[in-house]
Amino acid sequence: MIMLFYILKIVINIHQFIIMKKLFLFTVLAQLAHAQAPSGYYSSANGLTGAPLKTALSNIITSGHQDKGYGGLWTAYQTTDIDKNYENDGSILDIYSERPSSSDPYNYTPGSNQCGTYSTEGNCYNREHIVPQSFFNEASPMKNDIHFIRATDGKVNGMRSNYPFGKVGSTTFTSQNGSKLGSSSSSGFSGTVFEPIDEFKGDVARMVFYFVTRYQSQLSSFSSGNMLGGSAFPGLQTWELNVLLAWHTQDPVSQAEINRNNASYTFQGNRNPFIDNPNYVNQIWGSQTPTNDTQAPTTVTNLSIPAKTSSSISLTWSASTDNVAVTSYDVYMNGSLKSNVTSTSTTVTGLNPSTTYSFYVKAKDAAGNVSANSSTVSAATNAGTTTPTNCVNETFETIPSTSASSYTTKTWTNGGITWTATDSRSDQTISNKAITVRNGSLKSSSFSNGITSLTVTTQLKFSGSNGTFNVLVNGVNVGTIPYSTTATTTTISNINISGNVVVSLVNNSSSNRVAIDNLNWTCSAGTAKQSIVSTDYSETKKLQVYPNPITNQEIFVKGETENIQKAEIYNLQGKVMQAFDQPFKHGKSIKTRNLQQGIYILKLDEKSLKFLVK
């Protein structure tokens, strides 16, 4: 029995040893999986701030940096740029095509899909220098530095070109995950910029911060590209620094960045300090809300009212300046705060017809400093022309619940209207149930009592960027509905189309998922005066615009024009753009002035023609 006792004890001890060994191995592997900088890696930077801290970090990350050559990037990407945090499918993690909350539009297999040539998105991936290599004449080691060169789609890389990063105002190109190219709306720069999706804005900022720190001693010999500074500190142009500071705060360090930093350290021998210690950013450049900023922005100037309707007044003004950055504007109506906006224009809606309103604007900075009041402007809304009734009111409470989270075509009937929503899901909410449209539309069946105005609430879901829906009545665009992450109610007034109407809200974004709720429109039960937009063009077949689209800002008209007394050009919202008395007194054409691209209506006395400007 004693011998059996000792045998059992030995077996138990061996079993305990095996368990402890497994736990130890698991702990070691877990520590390796979350490895950060080696102990003491940043010790020489301790206690420093500002330019001295930046210089200390530059010395640290320069030491140990091994230049593996331009071709080495392809090898690096097989460990540094692999998707382990979204689909976790082993494909290339491309910040210009990755959709964080849905299926990617395309995927690349490491090694086998390298560019190569490309013509459209999805052809191949190549090496995207977040700081363009033309800035440093394609010199090494900058050209080959894995810390700011990402594997991205070739087409989007080409569209980004050498443009700096910033907030896009008017978009000229959108990638399939929502990355955008267009004119800058960032304060301090009005040129063309590229804007990644929100998920990767911080990633871009920290790669740029790495570059201007690692190569700070060479910045004076680089081209600025409207982005880099010419000295070691701060290393960036003020407007770009403000953009990147905001993005760094908005999008904190992700596990994907940590993984990439660790893999890059293994490959290249140095690290990105702003991923290891995000606080270094504010310790060097300061946060966007510096405690010592007591200077208010300059007073807003050139406040004006460019347009108004019976229920809305539009305002525009010139941008204010600030010693750090202007962050937003407070808009006051009749002495009370009406709204806060980040742009230099806004439209105040929900106003009464034939009523005078006064406005002034104040500029604000990140520290909370507020400018003096702008000058006050006043205007009366237009007179109302009809007494509309709320004839359509869709709350989306009867949406089908089957396959609620799947993007499908959904159809339902409510209040006599059959609705069809394509590429849509029904599991999201705003006030209650809502329909969420991705790359599709919400369309009504034909309704007989016309439409005078439309109101709807929208909200961007999951991730993506701000944008707009197009609103079509009988296939004609009558306005746009903005959307953002904040639930917003918008009204389009003065549509004024009578008779049978079909209304569509169209989302042209392939990535933005936008919820729609509380859609209603007013009508006049057939008594509204039909607007110029809905003229029956078949009645005017004796008159014809040619060529159409017009060229050189000149409209030629065929037909009997001799007795026409007046010509007016309207946009599709019914606003008079230009007017001419006796337009054909000296010939068969009308010379227009600075018409922008779009569709217009030419009203000749009581007859109307549609034409296009390209």
Side-chain angles (χ1 to χ4, degrees), residues 322-389:
D322 186 66
N323 62 318
V324 178
V326 175
T327 56
S328 64
Y329 298 89
D330 285 339
V331 179
Y332 287 79
M333 184 179 78
N334 295 343
S336 299
L337 180 63
K338 182 66 176 177
S339 63
N340 177 266
V341 298
T342 57
S343 62
T344 56
S345 64
T346 189
T347 298
V348 180
T349 60
L351 306 180
N352 296 320
S354 302
T355 304
T356 299
Y357 296 89
S358 61
F359 302 89
Y360 63 84
V361 177
K362 294 181 178 182
K364 299 174 70 173
D365 66 15
N369 300 309
V370 182
S371 74
N373 297 355
S374 70
S375 59
T376 299
V377 296
S378 299
T381 49
N382 298 338
T385 57
T386 62
T387 305
T389 57

Side-chain angles (χ1 to χ4, degrees), residues 158-209:
M159 294 302 297
R160 185 255 160 150
S161 186
N162 294 344
Y163 296 115
F165 291 95
K167 184 71 175 175
V168 169
S170 177
T171 303
T172 57
F173 167 80
T174 304
S175 78
Q176 292 187 40
N177 84 332
S179 300
K180 297 184 290 187
L181 181 74
S183 61
S184 170
S185 63
S186 298
S187 178
F189 184 68
S190 59
T192 300
V193 294
F194 189 87
E195 181 182 354
I197 63 173
D198 291 347
E199 181 76 11
F200 301 113
K201 284 184 169 134
D203 305 51
V204 166
R206 288 178 282 273
M207 284 187 279
V208 176
F209 290 148

Side-chain angles (χ1 to χ4, degrees), residues 199 202-203 206 247-254 257:
E199 181 76 11
D203 305 51
R206 288 178 282 273
W247 289 2
H248 168 71
T249 302
Q250 170 188 334
D251 174 31
V253 172
S254 65
E257 282 183 275

Side-chain angles (χ1 to χ4, degrees), residues 175-244:
S175 78
Q176 292 187 40
N177 84 332
S179 300
K180 297 184 290 187
L181 181 74
S183 61
S184 170
S185 63
S186 298
S187 178
F189 184 68
S190 59
T192 300
V193 294
F194 189 87
E195 181 182 354
I197 63 173
D198 291 347
E199 181 76 11
F200 301 113
K201 284 184 169 134
D203 305 51
V204 166
R206 288 178 282 273
M207 284 187 279
V208 176
F209 290 148
Y210 165 87
F211 181 90
V212 298
T213 300
R214 167 65 179 87
Y215 301 107
Q216 68 169 21
S217 63
Q218 297 165 260
L219 289 177
S220 61
S221 65
F222 293 166
S223 170
S224 73
N226 295 313
M227 177 177 173
L228 302 179
S231 58
F233 186 83
L236 286 161
Q237 296 190 14
T238 301
W239 81 271
E240 181 74 289
L241 176 58
N242 289 331
V243 167
L244 298 180

